[in-house]
């Protein structure tokens, strides 16, 4: 098993020549900081809404080398959070948010088609399955909330027989079908966006880490070691690295997610009847997620990685031999027919977990800097939506999207570090023990259950 921070998808698309780094002083209308999906979509939406606008994008590595180029490729929406959204913001706002997020999934598919980017976009839907009695009915609240919002067709229950007909894993029980979820090849999407943006005239500077961002009388100045960009507004699209930004530090917890991918196993997929390209998750809080690829592989991940000190995020956090072994063992538990088959690659990456388990778009004090973060491991679809919102904020435009409850949501701050890391890690370990005991048919211990329940009591959503 080959382990690299960048993972199989980026290896599959091959290396690219980095764009020249920033040198000297550049003036733009908007400076976008971070070249993952959020920054790339924000830049794209800016160019669409204001043709001729000068957009400079600063990326510390190569655009798409972060989680955007190495995720599971589930292009998900916010229907699973419908109950939470109703409670937080009421029915109209919840409906608008879920609908906009489903629109984002479709818009990504349309964009790929129109731009001739073959990102393997496949609208095969998602099965959220139970993998233990304790997980049964995990989506019931979301199904009821979608029905109450008039979006009942988005989530529908599946019997165990219906789940088995789509994927005959011995671990899977009943579940829910989310019809609008799609999958992509994440690196093909990220690299495709990067190329189309460059062709469209965005100034993309790579290997250009921003060291300081200051407000000036006319706007903002983003400083790298070799140059600076002055602009009217800045968009912070940093994902987990947002935890290194003072005003955002206590708005997210940084954890990690880890994946493996098999050699092509079309025979196993046939045996499982898993030929519809459905994305599948179990219903754990520390979720397992799995999907097939166009060339017949199974990509399998687990959202149960470590809690990381956000301000000290390092690339080495993305490869962890122990976690890779755990994920590989979980893969074989779900698919025993893979025993003896080759697992080709293992990798991981940071996750920007927000306490409400919903993405956040916010404006920093001073009004010139806007940020999007907190996707909690579900940013592939929502980053298109958040990019659209960021573009409007940078252009000083307000409409239905900027009124969504994802925007400037307020809410309590998380405890400071190191408390957050220590407490978060204790809760993660307890949740993992609890969920593994439940899968094995054992009753979790009382202390473990009590610690695992702490986030809910504190109003913090974890995982799934
Ligand atoms: C293993 C794994 C599996 C996942 N699976 C899924 C999935 O199946 N579906 C899903 O929806 N989501 C998934 N996610 C989450 C998803 O990848 C993210 O939510 C999404 O990519 C976020 O995009 P982004 O642009 O905000 O962040 P990123 O892709 O992290 O981009 C942020 C960029 O900012 C750059 N940067 C950081 N600091 C600076 C600086 N100082 N100056 C300039 N640039 C800087 C980074 O280099 C990076 O390229 C997964 C994540 C991981 C790690």
């Amino acid at each position: 098993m080959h382990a690299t921070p960048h993972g199989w998808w980026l290896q599959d698309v091959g290396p690219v020549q980095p764009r020249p780094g920033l040198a000297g002083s550049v003036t733009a209308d908007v400076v976008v900081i971070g070249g993952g999906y959020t920054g790339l979509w924000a830049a794209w939406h800016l160019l669409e809404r204001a043709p001729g606008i000068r957009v400079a994008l600063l990326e510390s590595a190569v655009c798409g080398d972060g989680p955007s180029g190495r995720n599971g490729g589930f292009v998900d929406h916010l229907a699973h959070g419908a109950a939470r959204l109703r409670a937080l913001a009421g029915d109209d706002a919840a409906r608008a948010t879920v609908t906009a997020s489903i629109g984002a999934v479709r818009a990504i598919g349309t964009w790929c088609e129109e731009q001739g980017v073959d990102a393997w976009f496949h609208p095969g839907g998602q099965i959220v399955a139970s993998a233990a009695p304790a997980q049964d009915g995990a989506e019931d609240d979301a199904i009821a909330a979608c029905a109450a919002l008039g979006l009942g067709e988005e989530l529908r229950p599946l019997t165990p027989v219906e789940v088995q007909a789509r994927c005959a894993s011995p671990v899977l029980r009943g579940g829910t079908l989310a019809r609008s979820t799609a999958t992509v090849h994440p690196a093909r999407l990220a690299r495709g966006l990067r190329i189309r943006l460059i062709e469209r005239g965005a100034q993309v500077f790579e290997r250009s880490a921003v060291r300081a961002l200051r407000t000036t009388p006319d706007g903002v100045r983003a400083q790298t070691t070799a140059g600076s960009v002055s602009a009217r507004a800045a968009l912070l699209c940093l994902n987990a690295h947002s935890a290194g930004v003072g005003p955002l530090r206590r708005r997210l917890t940084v954890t990690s997610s880890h994946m493996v991918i098999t050699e092509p196993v079309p025979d196993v997929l046939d045996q499982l009847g898993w030929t519809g390209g459905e994305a599948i998750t179990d219903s754990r809080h520390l979720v397992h997620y799995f999907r097939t690829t166009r060339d017949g592989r199974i990509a399998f991940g687990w959202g149960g990685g470590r809690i990381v000190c956000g301000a000290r995020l390092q690339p080495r956090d993305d490869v962890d031999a122990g976690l890779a072994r755990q994920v590989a063992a979980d893969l074989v538990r779900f698919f025993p027919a893979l025993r003896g088959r080759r697992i080709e690659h293992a990798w991981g990456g940071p996750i920007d977990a927000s306490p409400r388990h919903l993405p956040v778009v916010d404006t920093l004090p001073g009004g010139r800097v806007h940020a999007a973060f907190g996707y909690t491991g579900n940013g592939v679809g929502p980053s298109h939506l958040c990019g659209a919102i960021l573009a409007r904020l940078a252009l000083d435009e307000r409409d239905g999207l900027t009124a969504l409850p994802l925007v400037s949501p307020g809410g309590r701050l998380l405890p400071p570090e190191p408390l957050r890391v220590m407490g978060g890690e204790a809760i993660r370990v307890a949740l993992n023990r609890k969920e593994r005991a439940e899968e094995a048919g054992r009753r979790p211990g009382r202390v473990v259950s009590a610690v695992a329940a702490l986030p809910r009591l504190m109003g913090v959503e974890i995982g799934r």
Side-chain angles (χ1 to χ4, degrees):
M1 186 161 58
H2 184 50
T4 60
H6 285 163
W8 183 82
W9 307 106
L10 282 161
Q11 177 185 285
D12 187 51
V13 294
V16 289
Q17 180 67 36
R19 297 289 292 174
L22 180 69
S25 305
V26 168
T27 304
D29 295 306
V30 180
V31 57
V32 177
I33 304 172
Y37 297 138
T38 305
L40 294 166
W41 283 126
W44 182 264
H45 288 294
L46 280 166
L47 293 167
E48 285 277 291
R49 295 186 77 78
I53 191 171
R54 293 166 306 166
V55 177
L57 189 152
L58 300 172
E59 160 58 46
S60 61
V62 171
C63 295
D65 273 4
S68 293
R70 50 174 134 137
N71 57 74
F74 285 44
V75 192
D76 208 352
H77 45 73
L78 301 175
H80 309 284
R84 211 172 314 132
L85 278 161
R86 284 182 88 196
L88 283 167
D91 280 8
D92 289 344
R95 186 180 306 104
T97 308
V98 173
T99 305
S101 70
I102 292 168
V105 176
R106 297 200 181 117
I108 292 171
T110 307
W111 184 89
C112 290
E113 221 173 282
E114 288 176 357
Q115 296 299 320
V117 170
D118 181 8
W120 296 7
F121 183 87
H122 177 70
Q126 178 186 1
I127 299 168
V128 181
S130 166
Q135 296 175 22
D136 290 348
E139 289 274 286
D140 285 357
D141 288 352
I143 293 173
C146 278
L149 295 175
L151 299 169
E153 69 284 6
E154 288 303 331
L155 298 183
R156 97 170 159 79
L158 292 177
T159 64
V161 172
E162 287 175 312
V163 170
Q164 289 295 312
R166 288 168 167 83
C167 178
S169 158
V171 171
L172 300 181
R173 300 158 63 91
T176 300
L177 181 67
R179 66 165 190 178
S180 295
T181 305
T183 51
V184 285
H185 182 311
R188 280 173 167 253
L189 178 60
R191 295 291 204 236
L193 254 168
R194 170 184 183 272
I195 287 175
R196 291 293 176 268
L197 259 184
I198 294 167
E199 287 168 357
R200 194 113 183 227
Q203 294 189 77
V204 174
F205 301 100
E206 295 182 322
R207 297 179 176 171
S208 300
V210 173
R211 307 282 176 209
L213 180 63
R214 298 209 164 77
T215 46
T216 63
D218 304 326
V220 291
R221 189 165 58 243
Q223 192 82 45
T224 68
T225 45
S228 66
V229 178
S230 301
R232 283 200 316 265
L235 300 179
L236 289 182
C237 307
L238 299 173
N239 190 15
H241 292 269
S242 306
V245 176
L248 305 179
R249 200 159 281 161
R250 291 178 59 192
R251 307 278 302 275
L252 65 152
T253 303
V254 180
T255 171
S256 65
S257 194
H258 298 264
M259 295 193 70
V260 296
I261 194 163
T262 65
E263 64 180 340
V265 288
D267 53 316
V268 175
L269 299 183
D270 280 344
Q271 220 177 302
L272 292 165
W274 190 13
T275 50
E278 297 91 343
I280 308 181
T281 66
D282 63 11
S283 303
R284 267 167 153 257
H285 290 279
L286 302 179
V287 67
H288 291 106
Y289 51 96
F290 30 103
R291 44 87 49 99
T292 56
T293 64
R294 198 182 267 181
D295 58 349
R297 300 165 191 268
I298 297 177
F300 184 98
W302 181 44
R306 308 218 157 72
I307 307 286
V308 183
C309 178
R312 289 201 289 274
L313 207 51
Q314 296 296 327
R316 67 169 176 273
D317 295 326
D318 300 341
V319 185
D320 181 304
L323 281 165
R325 273 196 301 274
Q326 175 69 68
V327 179
D330 289 347
L331 164 70
V332 176
R333 185 169 65 80
F334 275 82
F335 302 110
L338 288 175
R339 207 160 277 129
R341 304 301 287 265
R342 200 151 43 91
I343 294 176
E344 284 197 348
H345 216 121
W347 68 95
I351 298 288
D352 54 343
S354 89
R356 299 194 317 173
H357 205 310
L358 289 168
V360 175
V361 184
D362 218 338
T363 298
L364 272 54
R368 304 280 195 166
V369 181
H370 314 280
F373 57 94
Y375 296 108
T376 322
N378 291 298
V380 179
S383 58
H384 183 280
L385 173 60
C386 292
I389 298 172
L390 285 173
R392 285 159 170 78
L393 295 177
L395 295 170
D396 220 1
E397 294 174 359
R398 299 292 182 271
D399 64 5
L401 291 191
T402 58
L404 293 178
L406 308 178
V407 183
S408 304
R412 272 185 309 162
L413 295 179
L414 290 161
E417 285 180 350
L419 255 187
R420 180 158 83 252
V421 175
M422 283 156 39
E425 187 59 17
I427 289 165
R428 185 196 74 84
V429 168
L431 252 183
N432 188 32
R433 284 203 186 142
K434 175 175 176 288
E435 297 191 317
R436 289 201 184 269
E438 288 165 350
E439 285 163 351
R442 287 184 274 111
R443 263 169 81 105
R446 266 191 300 183
V447 176
V448 160
S449 296
V451 177
L454 280 177
R456 274 271 151 84
L457 295 173
M458 291 157 57
V460 172
E461 297 286 335
I462 293 213
R464 195 166 49 73

